[in-house]
Amino acid sequence: MTTPAAGREAGELHVVGKGLPKVDAAAKVTGAIAYADDIDLPGMLFCKLLRSQHPYARIVSIDTSAARAMPGVVAVITGDDLPVKYGIMPTCEDELALEHEKVRFVGDPVAAVAAVDEETALAACRAIEVGYEPLEAVESIEQALVSPDDEPIHGYAGPANVHRLAALEFGDVDAGFAEAAHVREDVFFFEGNTHLPMEQHSATAQAVGDKVTLWSSTQDPHYVHRALAKVLGLPMGSVRVVAAPHGGGFGGKCDPFSHEIAVCKLSLMTGRPVKCTLTREEVFYTHRGRHPVLMWVRTGVDRDGRILAMHFRSALDGGAYGSYGPASTLYTGALQTTTYAIPAYRFEGARVFTNKAPCGPKRGHGTPQPRFALEVHLDKLAADLGIDPVELRRRNYVRPFTRTVNWLRITSCGLGEVTDRVLEASGYEHRVKRPGHGMGFAVSSYMCGAGLPIYWNTMPHSECILNVGRGGVTLLSGATDIGQGSDTVLATIAAEELGLSPGDIRLVTGDTGLTPVDLGSYSSRVTFMAGNAAREAAARMRELLVRAVAEEKGCAPDEVAVADGRIGLIAFEEAAALAEARFGALSTRGSYTPPQGIGGRYKGAGVGPSPAYSYSAAVVDLDADGRSGEIRVNKVWLGHDIGRSINELAVRGQVEGGVYMGLGEVLMEAQAYRDGLLRQPSMLDYKSLTFLDMPEVETILVETLDPEGPYGAKEVGQGPLLPVIPAVVSAVHEALGVWVDEVPVTPDKVVRALDARAKGKEPRYGPKSFPQIPYPPLVKVAPPDAATAAL
Amino acid sequence: MAVFVPTSLEELLTARAERPGLDLVAGGTDLVVEVNFGRHRLEDVASLSRVPELGGWRREGPAGPGGHLVLGSGLTYTEMLDPTLAELLPSLAQAARTVGSPQIRNAGTLGGNLGTASPAGDTLPVLAALEAEVLLGSAAGTRLVPLGEFVTGPKRTALAPDEVILAARVPVARGHQEFLKVGTRNAMVIAVCSVALVLDEQARQVRVGLGSVGPVPIRALEAERFAAEVVDWSTGRFSGGEADLRRFGELVGAAARPIDDHRSIASYRRRAVEVCARRALERTMSRQAA
């Protein structure tokens, strides 16, 4: 079901909005596509990394002589060979491809071997003798806040093992609380979890002379390119990174990784191609997944449930390295305001280092945890006030074309409509309550691409080149299709402008040597940003073709229709020949840079701004067993403000995938540790939903036609995951009368909440308190004035 | 590494006698996982899949009570779902249905489940409740060992280095059977706990086997004695009330010896076996009159 499109009439569009098959579907389902691990080059060597088995230890010696002497071993490298530090965020470049001073988590790489086959490489890794001096491992947020007996995990930041602190206040929060008729506080915990992509990370490097090409299963070849040039000490022009066809990322392939650097170094040393494919266990330890986050939230409301002030605190367990940590920290406080109009808002966040696999971005980056806390907190507030939880939310919804208290620019906003539609479809408001059955409701919002690049620069975020010639139409874009369908989106946009079919567009993507830049497949930015760049390039090409035809026929350009493979009355190929004869080589460009002024100007304002926000609402229907605590989700209704579907089939696929991932996170997934070791580093024990667990999903798309999105389109890759988690928690409460304030909501936690109630205690399972954190003095930011707040 | 592919039991037993401890592989669904995790290094290995004597199942003695079913160690989980066998041993079929995926059920075998003797082995609580015996063979002859003596600890058995598991021998019982399992999800899951319940109308016994709540499959003997008193033996159905179900659950819970591990915690495991046990007993009320 799609609402009729306002603005540009749906009838005017020929391929945009249609549920056409993905352009790469046939190649994928027939196995014709060569993923990174399918690459097999003549003379190729195989690389294995030796990884630490200690959570925290000083390296006192590394002896590689036995490994080097083994037959079949061609090269062995250690940290001394790659001494330059790197990291995705310029403020915390704290990683070495191979550690040589100390290891900080089980899985930290210390040496790499290139050998004639994987088994030899593995045997050689085992023959490397590393002398370790174990240090006392830091295993929890609480422990990281206390000054360690041994040295801190990193020599920067602090105090203790604190990585990053933030403290921001927008408006007068104390005054808001003083005025409030009711104030409520809650504490929540969201356990970490991991991406679980079907495809393991894999990278193959081929050096020729002092130049190297890397094919890798990565989400952002551009950032890998930068890191490689830096660590290898090569000019950017000597390094080429190609994103191989991708078997799933979800944020787990957004950092530059040690295996990518190691294979390049080994190939440069040996002159032979070198491949490294991680094992599944290595993928679990490579991680960069969802941060465990402890949260405290306090909200003051008036008698009618209108929010007057909110204070939100978060503490993130970051694991051993910086990764995207500074951004992750700010994301736990940034998007509360994009769904609810909060007139005064205070956020205090902290990220700590622990001796665990580094956390980073996972679908929803830093926002599913606070979204869970916020939505459940609002349910409890509504119950305190005796107001229906949906009604309480509606009273606080943001309005379209406004600016939030933390200066985020809201444009199109279908929050009210997605709410109406899921309530109607699910019958939520007319449900008959009975013990053991529950329905829950929640909403959320997500960005359509980060408004600012990861490293400061004023260049475009996405660029495209469109070539038309005797070989057809070729679109060059740095964007990387990680399964989300960006190739299909770009081909569809180019085809729409040129009156062709998506299958007519040849794509060259994700290749830093051939394609203009795209920052990568993260922050749900590709449809919006690369889409706009592709549209601009294609519109310029269309103009050339139309001009050539108009001049040939002696008519006005606006009399030349572009559709169905024809420019005017002439076949596309013929029109292209006319244009080439007239203008020379046909090549057009498109670029996208997010507009200025979509966020604030305070320190920390770089996280949260986006040219547009998507909106989602979910209703979950489930049964929960009052004895065993088992939960059976029956159905999920997910309403999503997509702006406009470029490909409706792909949009629905993303919604269903997001619901699937959200259910896994809320019901069973946990990246949990014992003595520094992962409890479940295999797909045998780390469970996600099977076909037998996955409920029916009813997807309801709402089109708000964003004024800046390509054809009005917004994101769908991440947003729909967000409301699923709190909606499940809410439904469990309705079914059993207990709150589980900790994700995942496993049966044992439900049972413990039921037992607490049976003993006359608070009917709840969850964290009891929030730790004392040495937050810095608040940075006070004046909210936008009334004139600025209404766009 | 040598691979033997014996095509008769005699050949297999000879190979095993000549190389005590020779790795045996049937479906490989446990062994290959151990090898992949680096917990087991394969030396010489013998494949069991072409030994005809290990496959299938047969009746022994009378068809009804007093008779036995002999289940070959090569019997796959998929074969346990065969309607004829499933009618005779419904709890075994229920257990088999919860194992892995269709591919795993096609490959994995009863003998493998016995030989691995994991505390979470899905057929083990069923075999315990059925009072099965394990038939072992070597070049020197065969011996029958009660299940409780065969499984000596977590992943430890009484199998001698020169022996091979030939079959499980199960007495035929008339009466309702149930198998319930709690796991993280509904398929491809290792049990957090499991409960098998077998009513033997001839002997007027209720027998309860518990899985994943102790180092070995556990019989809940006190709960069994209690349950025998609250079954109407003329119909083979539970005939008590809520208090009896609660008591039965408590007695089953008391028999469990669960631990905390990466799949669950001890207190939840105890709770879950209680809930499964009372559900199982309650379900006997739906038994059709014979």
Coordinates of all heavy atoms in Angstrom, one line a residue, chain B residues 4-74:
Chain B
F4 N 39.2 -45.5 6.4 CA 38.6 -46.9 6.1 C 37.2 -46.7 5.8 O 36.4 -46.0 6.4 CB 38.8 -47.7 7.4 CG 40.2 -48.0 7.8 CD1 40.8 -47.1 8.6 CD2 40.9 -49.0 7.3 CE1 42.2 -47.2 9.0 CE2 42.3 -49.2 7.7 CZ 42.9 -48.3 8.5
V5 N 36.8 -47.5 4.8 CA 35.4 -47.5 4.4 C 34.9 -49.0 4.5 O 34.7 -49.6 3.5 CB 35.1 -46.9 3.1 CG1 33.6 -46.7 2.8 CG2 35.8 -45.5 3.0
P6 N 34.7 -49.6 5.7 CA 34.3 -50.9 5.8 C 32.9 -51.1 5.2 O 32.1 -50.2 5.3 CB 34.3 -51.2 7.3 CG 34.3 -49.9 8.0 CD 34.9 -48.9 7.0
T7 N 32.7 -52.3 4.6 CA 31.4 -52.6 4.1 C 30.6 -53.7 4.8 O 29.6 -54.1 4.4 CB 31.5 -52.9 2.6 OG1 32.4 -54.0 2.4 CG2 32.0 -51.7 1.8
S8 N 31.2 -54.1 5.9 CA 30.5 -55.1 6.8 C 30.9 -54.8 8.2 O 32.0 -54.2 8.5 CB 30.9 -56.5 6.4 OG 32.3 -56.8 6.8
L9 N 30.1 -55.3 9.1 CA 30.4 -55.1 10.5 C 31.7 -55.8 10.9 O 32.5 -55.3 11.7 CB 29.2 -55.7 11.4 CG 29.3 -55.5 12.9 CD1 29.4 -54.0 13.2 CD2 28.1 -56.1 13.6
E10 N 31.9 -57.0 10.4 CA 33.1 -57.7 10.7 C 34.4 -56.9 10.3 O 35.3 -56.8 11.1 CB 33.1 -59.1 9.9 CG 34.1 -60.0 10.4 CD 34.2 -61.3 9.5 OE1 33.3 -61.5 8.7 OE2 35.2 -62.0 9.6
E11 N 34.3 -56.3 9.1 CA 35.4 -55.5 8.7 C 35.7 -54.3 9.6 O 36.8 -54.0 10.0 CB 35.1 -55.0 7.3 CG 36.2 -55.1 6.3 CD 35.7 -54.4 5.0 OE1 34.7 -54.9 4.4 OE2 36.3 -53.4 4.6
L12 N 34.6 -53.7 10.0 CA 34.6 -52.6 10.9 C 35.3 -53.0 12.3 O 36.2 -52.3 12.8 CB 33.2 -52.0 11.1 CG 33.1 -50.9 12.2 CD1 33.9 -49.7 11.9 CD2 31.6 -50.6 12.5
L13 N 34.7 -54.1 12.8 CA 35.2 -54.5 14.2 C 36.7 -54.9 14.1 O 37.4 -54.7 15.1 CB 34.3 -55.6 14.7 CG 32.9 -55.2 15.0 CD1 32.0 -56.4 15.5 CD2 32.8 -54.1 16.0
T14 N 37.1 -55.5 13.0 CA 38.5 -55.8 12.9 C 39.4 -54.6 12.8 O 40.4 -54.5 13.5 CB 38.7 -56.6 11.6 OG1 37.8 -57.7 11.6 CG2 40.1 -57.2 11.4
A15 N 38.9 -53.6 12.1 CA 39.7 -52.4 12.0 C 39.8 -51.7 13.3 O 40.9 -51.2 13.7 CB 39.0 -51.4 11.0
R16 N 38.7 -51.7 14.0 CA 38.7 -51.1 15.4 C 39.6 -51.8 16.4 O 40.2 -51.2 17.2 CB 37.2 -51.0 15.8 CG 37.0 -50.3 17.1 CD 36.7 -48.9 17.0 NE 36.1 -48.4 18.3 CZ 36.2 -47.2 18.8 NH1 36.9 -46.3 18.1 NH2 35.6 -46.8 19.9
A17 N 39.6 -53.2 16.2 CA 40.5 -54.0 17.1 C 41.9 -53.7 16.8 O 42.8 -53.7 17.7 CB 40.1 -55.5 16.9
E18 N 42.2 -53.5 15.5 CA 43.6 -53.3 15.1 C 44.1 -51.9 15.5 O 45.3 -51.7 15.7 CB 43.8 -53.6 13.6 CG 43.8 -55.1 13.3 CD 43.6 -55.3 11.8 OE1 43.5 -54.3 11.0 OE2 43.6 -56.5 11.4
R19 N 43.2 -51.0 15.5 CA 43.6 -49.6 15.8 C 42.6 -49.1 16.9 O 41.7 -48.3 16.6 CB 43.4 -48.7 14.5 CG 44.4 -49.0 13.5 CD 44.1 -48.1 12.3 NE 45.1 -48.4 11.2 CZ 45.0 -49.5 10.4 NH1 44.1 -50.4 10.6 NH2 45.9 -49.6 9.5
P20 N 42.9 -49.4 18.1 CA 42.0 -49.0 19.2 C 41.9 -47.4 19.2 O 42.9 -46.8 19.0 CB 42.6 -49.5 20.4 CG 43.5 -50.6 20.0 CD 44.0 -50.2 18.6
G21 N 40.7 -46.9 19.3 CA 40.6 -45.4 19.3 C 40.4 -44.9 18.0 O 40.3 -43.6 17.8
L22 N 40.4 -45.7 16.9 CA 40.2 -45.3 15.6 C 38.9 -44.4 15.6 O 37.9 -44.8 16.1 CB 39.9 -46.5 14.7 CG 39.5 -46.4 13.3 CD1 40.6 -45.9 12.4 CD2 39.0 -47.7 12.7
D23 N 39.0 -43.2 15.0 CA 37.9 -42.3 14.9 C 36.8 -42.9 14.1 O 37.0 -43.4 13.0 CB 38.2 -40.9 14.3 CG 38.7 -40.0 15.4 OD1 38.1 -40.0 16.5 OD2 39.7 -39.2 15.1
L24 N 35.5 -42.8 14.6 CA 34.4 -43.4 13.8 C 33.6 -42.2 13.4 O 33.3 -41.3 14.1 CB 33.5 -44.3 14.7 CG 34.3 -45.4 15.4 CD1 33.4 -46.2 16.3 CD2 34.8 -46.4 14.3
V25 N 33.2 -42.2 12.1 CA 32.3 -41.1 11.6 C 31.1 -41.7 10.9 O 31.2 -42.5 10.0 CB 33.1 -40.1 10.7 CG1 33.8 -40.8 9.5 CG2 32.2 -38.9 10.2
A26 N 29.9 -41.2 11.3 CA 28.7 -41.6 10.7 C 28.2 -40.4 9.9 O 28.7 -40.1 8.8 CB 27.7 -42.1 11.7
G27 N 27.4 -39.5 10.5 CA 27.0 -38.3 9.8 C 28.0 -37.2 9.9 O 28.0 -36.3 9.1
G28 N 28.9 -37.3 10.9 CA 29.9 -36.3 11.1 C 29.4 -35.0 11.7 O 30.2 -34.0 11.8
T29 N 28.1 -34.9 12.1 CA 27.6 -33.6 12.6 C 28.2 -33.2 13.9 O 28.1 -32.0 14.2 CB 26.0 -33.7 12.7 OG1 25.7 -34.8 13.6 CG2 25.4 -34.0 11.3
D30 N 28.7 -34.1 14.7 CA 29.5 -33.7 15.9 C 31.0 -33.6 15.6 O 31.6 -32.6 16.0 CB 29.2 -34.6 17.0 CG 27.8 -34.5 17.6 OD1 27.3 -33.3 17.6 OD2 27.3 -35.5 18.1
L31 N 31.5 -34.7 15.0 CA 32.9 -34.8 14.8 C 33.5 -33.7 14.0 O 34.5 -33.1 14.4 CB 33.2 -36.1 14.1 CG 34.7 -36.5 14.0 CD1 35.3 -36.8 15.4 CD2 35.0 -37.6 13.0
V32 N 32.9 -33.3 12.9 CA 33.4 -32.3 12.0 C 33.4 -30.9 12.7 O 34.3 -30.1 12.6 CB 32.6 -32.2 10.7 CG1 33.1 -31.0 9.8 CG2 32.8 -33.5 10.0
V33 N 32.4 -30.7 13.6 CA 32.4 -29.4 14.4 C 33.6 -29.4 15.3 O 34.3 -28.4 15.4 CB 31.1 -29.3 15.2 CG1 31.1 -28.1 16.1 CG2 29.9 -29.2 14.2
E34 N 33.9 -30.5 16.0 CA 35.0 -30.6 16.9 C 36.3 -30.4 16.1 O 37.2 -29.7 16.6 CB 35.1 -32.0 17.6 CG 33.9 -32.2 18.5 CD 34.0 -31.3 19.8 OE1 35.0 -31.5 20.5 OE2 33.1 -30.5 19.9
V35 N 36.4 -30.9 14.9 CA 37.6 -30.8 14.1 C 37.8 -29.3 13.7 O 38.8 -28.7 13.8 CB 37.6 -31.7 12.9 CG1 38.7 -31.4 11.9 CG2 37.7 -33.2 13.3
N36 N 36.7 -28.7 13.2 CA 36.7 -27.3 12.8 C 37.1 -26.4 13.9 O 37.7 -25.3 13.7 CB 35.4 -26.9 12.2 CG 35.2 -27.5 10.8 OD1 36.2 -28.0 10.1 ND2 34.0 -27.5 10.3
F37 N 36.6 -26.7 15.1 CA 37.0 -25.8 16.2 C 38.4 -26.1 16.8 O 38.8 -25.5 17.8 CB 35.9 -26.0 17.4 CG 34.6 -25.2 17.2 CD1 33.5 -25.5 17.9 CD2 34.5 -24.3 16.2 CE1 32.3 -24.8 17.7 CE2 33.4 -23.5 16.0 CZ 32.3 -23.8 16.8
G38 N 39.1 -27.0 16.2 CA 40.4 -27.3 16.6 C 40.4 -28.1 17.9 O 41.5 -28.1 18.6
R39 N 39.3 -28.7 18.3 CA 39.3 -29.4 19.6 C 39.6 -30.9 19.4 O 39.8 -31.6 20.3 CB 37.9 -29.3 20.2 CG 37.5 -28.0 20.7 CD 36.2 -28.0 21.4 NE 35.5 -26.8 21.4 CZ 34.2 -26.6 21.1 NH1 33.5 -27.6 20.7 NH2 33.7 -25.4 21.1
H40 N 39.6 -31.3 18.2 CA 39.9 -32.7 17.9 C 40.8 -32.8 16.6 O 40.5 -32.1 15.6 CB 38.6 -33.5 17.7 CG 38.8 -34.9 17.5 ND1 38.8 -35.8 18.6 CD2 39.0 -35.7 16.4 CE1 39.0 -37.0 18.1 NE2 39.1 -37.0 16.8
R41 N 41.8 -33.6 16.7 CA 42.7 -33.8 15.5 C 42.4 -35.1 15.0 O 42.5 -36.1 15.7 CB 44.1 -33.6 16.0 CG 45.0 -33.0 14.9 CD 46.4 -32.9 15.3 NE 47.3 -33.2 14.2 CZ 47.5 -32.4 13.2 NH1 46.9 -31.2 13.2 NH2 48.3 -32.7 12.2
L42 N 42.0 -35.2 13.7 CA 41.7 -36.5 13.1 C 42.9 -37.2 12.9 O 43.9 -36.7 12.3 CB 40.9 -36.2 11.8 CG 39.4 -36.1 11.8 CD1 38.9 -36.0 10.4 CD2 38.7 -37.2 12.6
E43 N 43.0 -38.5 13.3 CA 44.0 -39.4 12.9 C 43.4 -40.3 11.9 O 42.8 -39.9 10.9 CB 44.6 -40.2 14.1 CG 45.1 -39.2 15.2 CD 46.4 -38.5 14.8 OE1 47.1 -38.9 13.9 OE2 46.7 -37.5 15.4
D44 N 43.5 -41.6 12.1 CA 42.8 -42.5 11.2 C 41.3 -42.6 11.5 O 40.9 -42.4 12.6 CB 43.4 -44.0 11.4 CG 44.9 -44.0 10.9 OD1 45.3 -43.0 10.3 OD2 45.6 -45.0 11.2
V45 N 40.6 -42.7 10.5 CA 39.1 -42.6 10.6 C 38.4 -43.7 9.8 O 38.8 -44.0 8.7 CB 38.6 -41.2 10.2 CG1 39.0 -40.8 8.8 CG2 37.2 -41.0 10.5
A46 N 37.3 -44.2 10.4 CA 36.5 -45.2 9.7 C 35.1 -44.7 9.5 O 34.5 -44.1 10.4 CB 36.4 -46.5 10.5
S47 N 34.6 -44.8 8.3 CA 33.3 -44.4 8.0 C 32.3 -45.5 8.3 O 32.6 -46.7 8.0 CB 33.2 -44.0 6.5 OG 31.8 -44.0 6.1
L48 N 31.2 -45.2 8.9 CA 30.2 -46.2 9.3 C 29.1 -46.3 8.3 O 28.2 -47.2 8.4 CB 29.6 -45.8 10.7 CG 30.6 -45.6 11.8 CD1 29.9 -45.3 13.1 CD2 31.5 -46.9 12.0
S49 N 29.1 -45.4 7.3 CA 27.9 -45.3 6.5 C 27.6 -46.5 5.6 O 26.5 -46.6 5.1 CB 28.0 -44.0 5.7 OG 29.1 -44.0 4.9
R50 N 28.7 -47.3 5.3 CA 28.5 -48.4 4.4 C 28.4 -49.7 5.1 O 28.5 -50.8 4.5 CB 29.6 -48.5 3.3 CG 29.7 -47.1 2.6 CD 29.7 -47.3 1.1 NE 29.8 -46.0 0.5 CZ 30.7 -45.6 -0.3 NH1 31.7 -46.4 -0.6 NH2 30.7 -44.4 -0.9
V51 N 28.2 -49.7 6.4 CA 28.1 -50.9 7.2 C 26.6 -51.3 7.3 O 25.9 -50.6 8.1 CB 28.7 -50.8 8.6 CG1 28.6 -52.1 9.4 CG2 30.2 -50.4 8.4
P52 N 26.1 -52.2 6.6 CA 24.6 -52.4 6.5 C 24.0 -52.8 7.9 O 22.9 -52.5 8.2 CB 24.4 -53.5 5.5 CG 25.7 -54.1 5.3 CD 26.8 -53.1 5.6
E53 N 24.8 -53.5 8.7 CA 24.3 -54.0 10.0 C 23.9 -52.9 10.9 O 23.2 -53.1 11.9 CB 25.3 -54.9 10.7 CG 25.6 -56.3 9.9 CD 26.7 -56.2 8.9 OE1 27.0 -55.1 8.4 OE2 27.4 -57.2 8.7
L54 N 24.4 -51.7 10.7 CA 24.2 -50.6 11.7 C 22.9 -49.8 11.3 O 22.5 -49.0 12.1 CB 25.4 -49.6 11.7 CG 26.7 -50.3 12.1 CD1 27.8 -49.2 12.1 CD2 26.6 -50.9 13.5
G55 N 22.4 -50.0 10.1 CA 21.3 -49.2 9.7 C 19.9 -49.7 10.1 O 19.8 -50.9 10.6
G56 N 18.9 -48.9 10.0 CA 17.5 -49.3 10.1 C 17.1 -49.6 11.5 O 17.9 -49.4 12.5
W57 N 16.0 -50.3 11.7 CA 15.5 -50.7 13.0 C 14.6 -52.0 12.8 O 14.2 -52.2 11.7 CB 14.6 -49.6 13.7 CG 13.4 -49.2 12.9 CD1 13.3 -48.4 11.9 CD2 12.1 -49.7 13.1 NE1 12.0 -48.3 11.4 CE2 11.2 -49.1 12.2 CE3 11.5 -50.7 14.0 CZ2 9.9 -49.4 12.1 CZ3 10.1 -50.9 13.9 CH2 9.3 -50.3 13.0
R58 N 14.5 -52.7 13.8 CA 13.7 -54.0 13.7 C 13.0 -54.3 15.1 O 13.4 -53.7 16.1 CB 14.5 -55.1 13.3 CG 15.7 -55.5 14.2 CD 16.6 -56.5 13.7 NE 17.9 -56.5 14.4 CZ 18.0 -57.1 15.6 NH1 17.0 -57.8 16.1 NH2 19.2 -57.1 16.3
R59 N 12.0 -55.1 15.0 CA 11.3 -55.6 16.2 C 12.0 -56.8 16.7 O 12.6 -57.6 15.9 CB 9.9 -56.0 15.9 CG 9.0 -54.8 15.5 CD 7.7 -55.3 15.0 NE 6.9 -54.3 14.3 CZ 6.0 -53.5 14.9 NH1 5.9 -53.5 16.2 NH2 5.4 -52.6 14.1
E60 N 12.0 -57.0 18.0 CA 12.5 -58.2 18.6 C 11.5 -58.7 19.6 O 11.1 -58.0 20.5 CB 13.9 -57.9 19.3 CG 14.7 -59.0 19.7 CD 16.0 -58.5 20.4 OE1 15.9 -58.3 21.7 OE2 17.0 -58.3 19.8
G61 N 11.1 -60.0 19.5 CA 10.1 -60.6 20.4 C 8.7 -60.1 20.1 O 8.5 -59.7 18.9
P62 N 7.8 -60.2 21.0 CA 6.4 -59.8 20.7 C 6.2 -58.4 20.3 O 7.0 -57.5 20.6 CB 5.7 -60.1 22.0 CG 6.7 -60.3 23.1 CD 8.0 -60.6 22.4
A63 N 5.2 -58.2 19.5 CA 4.9 -56.8 19.0 C 4.6 -55.8 20.1 O 5.0 -54.7 20.1 CB 3.8 -56.8 17.9
G64 N 3.8 -56.3 21.1 CA 3.4 -55.4 22.2 C 4.3 -55.4 23.3 O 5.5 -55.7 23.2
P65 N 3.8 -55.1 24.5 CA 4.6 -55.1 25.7 C 5.3 -56.4 25.9 O 4.8 -57.5 25.6 CB 3.6 -54.9 26.8 CG 2.5 -54.1 26.2 CD 2.5 -54.6 24.8
G66 N 6.6 -56.4 26.4 CA 7.4 -57.6 26.5 C 8.4 -57.7 25.3 O 9.4 -58.3 25.4
G67 N 8.0 -57.0 24.2 CA 8.9 -57.0 23.0 C 9.9 -55.8 23.1 O 9.8 -55.0 24.0
H68 N 10.7 -55.8 22.1 CA 11.7 -54.7 22.1 C 11.8 -54.2 20.6 O 11.5 -54.8 19.7 CB 13.1 -55.2 22.5 CG 13.2 -55.4 23.9 ND1 12.8 -56.6 24.5 CD2 13.7 -54.6 24.9 CE1 13.1 -56.5 25.9 NE2 13.6 -55.3 26.1
L69 N 12.3 -52.9 20.6 CA 12.7 -52.3 19.3 C 14.2 -52.2 19.3 O 14.7 -51.7 20.3 CB 12.0 -51.0 19.1 CG 10.5 -51.0 19.1 CD1 9.9 -49.6 19.1 CD2 10.0 -51.7 17.8
V70 N 14.8 -52.6 18.2 CA 16.2 -52.5 18.1 C 16.5 -51.4 17.1 O 16.3 -51.6 15.9 CB 16.9 -53.8 17.8 CG1 18.4 -53.6 17.7 CG2 16.6 -54.9 18.9
L71 N 17.1 -50.3 17.6 CA 17.3 -49.2 16.7 C 18.8 -49.1 16.3 O 19.7 -49.0 17.2 CB 17.0 -47.9 17.4 CG 15.6 -47.8 18.1 CD1 15.4 -46.5 18.8 CD2 14.5 -48.0 17.1
G72 N 19.1 -49.3 15.1 CA 20.5 -49.4 14.6 C 21.2 -48.0 14.9 O 20.6 -47.0 14.8
S73 N 22.5 -48.1 15.2 CA 23.2 -46.9 15.5 C 23.3 -45.9 14.3 O 23.5 -44.7 14.5 CB 24.6 -47.2 16.1 OG 25.4 -47.8 15.1
G74 N 23.1 -46.5 13.1 CA 23.1 -45.7 11.9 C 21.8 -45.0 11.6 O 21.7 -44.3 10.6

